[in-house]
Amino acid sequence: MKIVVVEDDVYMREELVSILEKEQYEVLCVTDFNQATRDILKQQPDLVLLDLNLPNVSGFEICKAIRQKSTVPILVLTGRDQLKDELHALNLGADEYLNKPCHKERLLIRITNLLRRAEDRSHFIEIQGLRLDVQTYTFYSNNVSIIFPENQGKIMEQLMSHYGENVTSKMLVETLWGGLDYIDENALQVNMTRLRKTISQLDINYKITTIRGEGYRLELIGEMKDD
Amino acid sequence: MKIVVVEDDVYMREELVSILEKEQYEVLCVTDFNQATRDILKQQPDLVLLDLNLPNVSGFEICKAIRQKSTVPILVLTGRDQLKDELHALNLGADEYLNKPCHKERLLIRITNLLRRAEDRSHFIEIQGLRLDVQTYTFYSNNVSIIFPENQGKIMEQLMSHYGENVTSKMLVETLWGGLDYIDENALQVNMTRLRKTISQLDINYKITTIRGEGYRLELIGEMKDD
DNA sequence: TTCAAACCTTTCACAAACTGTAAGTGTTAT
DNA sequence: ATAACACTTACAGTTTGTGAAAGGTTTGAA
């Protein structure tokens, strides 16, 4: 399991690394706090250990930015013991908030719990309000679950995992029929129609938009495309 | 949302009730601590707020007993600020551990988080290591998910939700074919064979045992029946 | 306005999966 | 041994997902 540590104090950081490595975690530290969010996400960690008091940048901002892009568990470990900081962090998507100094065991059991909880979600790809099991193409939203047929599920998987971007028809054809003999792009259109119909019966806020000559994208209803 | 409060100190209890009711929660208090576990579960609460220091009985025992029977979120709120108590409670299945005195907001946000997290699991019925979505009959175990055909899913639902007890053939026939015209009990046997085959391909620790003349039960492999 | 390219929708027939029936085989308790 | 109960397998009917085909609609440039 890979943990990214974001902490400016060298002494504290080394101690954390030592504690975590003793528990067999793979530990990486981020020290360029200006690009912290990017660097953290690039590592694809299983958990983020985040200090709030960083030079120049706000830990809150990092927390918020990570949560917008990922569902990785965030454990905030900080010297600030103000209640309002704690509430703020939790509201921004932190999963756990601990004050320094913190007993080793207390930290470790929280980490264990967060990781276990995250494992329960490892089947899924999630975007706000939507959740898709990519093994079975079971789809969860609004306390309702349905099963997508394989093709619709594969399309949805692409659209969700590239949320915010365009997904080209070429990419989709490749994903659905791989190296198979040539299949008419009409087949994709048929499946797209079917998927749209399935989605429209679900009470959700997203729709599939066509980008003429390009492909498709998943969008929040009401949202405008911007590239 | 229904919250059960387990707290012996009258003053504290009333304050908790007041805080929670102000947030529109439905609050129930358990005051007979000897039967606490039974009473709590009977209420089918959405969350349990548990003190550890109770007269006669151990809060730890209650925590453990609840967790064995249910996945309801347990928030331990206690005056004991010993690290080992905290670790113990969390290991017994508590989801959150807060020390008294505790700010109102701190408590409320933790409750909110626990409830939100629990809602994610509301599709499912769970027993140790197994999880079944009863809407789609998608089944999760060992980081693998598969979809049960409807009949197999319904049988599994009964077996899991009555884990530890026998499920009669009559009950199963009723569940699968309801008030329909008479259907041969052989149909159930066929589906049972199919379910057993499905399960055996899944690397799990459970098997379906026949209780001759009675019905079926789900058992841990290696476990002996005892009634 | 016109027109062609791009995209969408509906229908059809084939294939795969799920189902109950039936018939035959095991198993258990007396 | 035997009768009641439980299990298994094969089979055919039904349902569901699929791509092909054909025709309709939208888009955007001339």
Side-chain angles (χ1 to χ4, degrees):
Chain A
M1 288 288 166
K2 192 196 286 186
I3 298 179
V4 166
V5 173
V6 186
E7 164 68 61
D8 62 321
D9 179 74
V10 178
Y11 174 72
M12 185 74 195
R13 190 165 69 220
E14 289 308 315
E15 184 169 344
L16 286 173
V17 170
S18 158
I19 290 172
L20 295 173
E21 286 187 338
K22 207 167 289 176
E23 298 293 319
Q24 314 292 338
Y25 293 115
E26 181 186 348
V27 185
L28 284 157
C29 296
V30 167
T31 45
D32 180 352
F33 303 112
N34 296 302
Q35 313 191 337
T37 307
R38 215 198 50 189
D39 290 350
I40 292 166
L41 291 175
K42 196 160 51 182
Q43 298 297 336
Q44 305 215 340
D46 297 293
L47 187 140
V48 177
L49 201 53
L50 180 65
D51 187 15
L52 288 181
N53 269 329
L54 300 172
N56 303 325
V57 282
S58 154
F60 292 121
E61 286 305 315
I62 296 176
C63 181
K64 185 176 167 190
I66 293 174
R67 181 53 74 244
Q68 277 172 355
K69 297 277 183 187
S70 161
T71 59
V72 63
I74 302 173
L75 195 164
V76 170
L77 178 63
T78 189
R80 307 195 188 196
D81 66 345
Q82 297 279 327
L83 176 59
K84 75 171 173 28
D85 286 338
E86 176 169 346
L87 299 180
H88 191 202
L90 292 174
N91 276 327
L92 289 179
D95 295 282
E96 197 59 80
Y97 186 99
L98 292 175
N99 286 308
K100 288 190 278 195
C102 172
H103 279 90
K104 191 179 123 185
E105 292 84 3
R106 192 187 305 255
L107 174 65
L108 288 174
I109 195 173
R110 305 288 175 160
I111 288 177
T112 308
N113 281 346
L114 287 177
L115 288 174
R116 173 156 35 79
R117 213 181 293 156
E119 183 155 350
D120 286 348
R121 293 184 308 198
S122 65
H123 300 270
F124 304 100
I125 71 179
E126 294 182 70
I127 64 175
Q128 180 56 48
L130 311 183
R131 178 182 302 197
L132 179 69
D133 176 345
V134 296
Q135 290 187 55
T136 61
Y137 302 120
T138 306
F139 181 78
Y140 297 86
S141 167
N142 283 328
N143 247 34
V144 176
S145 55
I146 66 154
I147 296 168
F148 285 128
E150 191 177 2
N151 284 342
Q152 294 177 45
K154 283 180 180 170
I155 295 175
M156 201 61 188
E157 178 181 1
Q158 290 301 310
L159 291 174
M160 285 177 68
S161 59
H162 297 95
Y163 180 64
E165 313 161 29
N166 293 348
V167 180
T168 66
S169 303
K170 208 170 144 196
M171 228 163 112
L172 288 169
V173 170
E174 178 66 24
T175 306
L176 267 73
W177 298 284
L180 279 175
D181 312 323
Y182 178 71
I183 290 210
D184 198 325
E185 191 160 308
N186 177 252
L188 177 61
Q189 292 165 0
V190 171
N191 282 287
M192 201 56 86
T193 297
R194 287 171 179 153
L195 177 57
R196 281 177 164 142
K197 186 177 172 195
T198 306
I199 289 179
S200 73
Q201 292 163 346
L202 257 43
D203 181 32
I204 65 173
N205 256 345
Y206 293 84
K207 65 172 195 292
I208 298 171
T209 306
T210 305
I211 289 88
R212 182 167 245 254
E214 281 283 322
Y216 302 87
R217 75 190 306 171
L218 190 63
E219 278 181 2
L220 260 177
I221 290 175
E223 196 179 74
M224 294 281 101
K225 66 180 174 185
D226 56 33
D227 69 17
Chain B
M1 288 288 169
K2 191 196 287 185
I3 297 179
V4 166
V5 173
V6 187
E7 165 67 62
D8 62 322
D9 180 74
V10 179
Y11 174 73
M12 186 74 195
R13 190 166 69 221
E14 289 308 314
E15 184 169 346
L16 285 174
V17 171
S18 158
I19 290 172
L20 295 173
E21 286 186 340
K22 207 167 289 177
E23 298 292 319
Q24 314 293 339
Y25 293 116
E26 181 186 347
V27 186
L28 284 157
C29 296
V30 167
T31 45
D32 179 351
F33 303 111
N34 296 303
Q35 313 191 336
T37 306
R38 213 198 52 189
D39 290 350
I40 292 165
L41 291 176
K42 197 160 50 181
Q43 298 297 337
Q44 305 214 344
D46 297 292
L47 187 141
V48 177
L49 201 53
L50 179 66
D51 187 16
L52 287 181
N53 268 330
L54 300 172
N56 305 324
V57 281
S58 154
F60 291 121
E61 286 305 315
I62 295 176
C63 180
K64 185 176 165 190
I66 294 173
R67 181 54 74 244
Q68 278 173 353
K69 297 277 183 188
S70 161
T71 59
V72 63
I74 302 173
L75 194 164
V76 171
L77 179 63
T78 188
R80 308 194 188 198
D81 67 344
Q82 299 279 325
L83 176 59
K84 74 171 175 26
D85 287 337
E86 177 169 345
L87 298 180
H88 191 203
L90 292 175
N91 276 327
L92 290 179
D95 296 282
E96 196 63 78
Y97 186 100
L98 292 175
N99 286 309
K100 287 189 281 195
C102 172
H103 280 90
K104 191 178 123 186
E105 291 83 4
R106 190 188 305 256
L107 175 64
L108 288 174
I109 196 174
R110 305 289 175 160
I111 288 177
T112 308
N113 281 346
L114 288 176
L115 289 174
R116 173 156 37 78
R117 211 182 295 156
E119 185 154 348
D120 285 348
R121 293 184 306 196
S122 65
H123 300 271
F124 303 100
I125 72 179
E126 294 181 72
I127 65 175
Q128 180 57 48
L130 311 183
R131 179 181 301 197
L132 179 71
D133 175 345
V134 295
Q135 290 187 55
T136 60
Y137 302 120
T138 307
F139 181 79
Y140 296 87
S141 167
N142 283 329
N143 248 34
V144 176
S145 54
I146 66 155
I147 295 167
F148 285 129
E150 191 177 4
N151 283 342
Q152 293 177 45
K154 285 180 180 170
I155 296 174
M156 202 60 189
E157 178 181 1
Q158 290 299 311
L159 291 174
M160 284 177 69
S161 59
H162 297 95
Y163 180 64
E165 313 161 29
N166 293 348
V167 179
T168 66
S169 303
K170 208 171 143 194
M171 229 163 110
L172 288 169
V173 170
E174 177 67 22
T175 306
L176 268 74
W177 298 285
L180 280 176
D181 312 323
Y182 178 69
I183 291 212
D184 199 328
E185 190 159 309
N186 175 252
L188 176 60
Q189 291 165 359
V190 171
N191 282 286
M192 202 55 84
T193 298
R194 288 171 179 153
L195 176 57
R196 279 177 166 143
K197 186 177 170 195
T198 306
I199 288 179
S200 74
Q201 292 163 347
L202 249 47
D203 180 33
I204 65 173
N205 255 344
Y206 293 85
K207 66 173 193 294
I208 297 171
T209 305
T210 305
I211 288 89
R212 181 167 244 255
E214 282 283 323
Y216 302 88
R217 75 190 304 169
L218 190 62
E219 279 180 2
L220 262 176
I221 290 173
E223 195 180 73
M224 293 282 102
K225 67 179 175 186
D226 55 35
D227 70 18

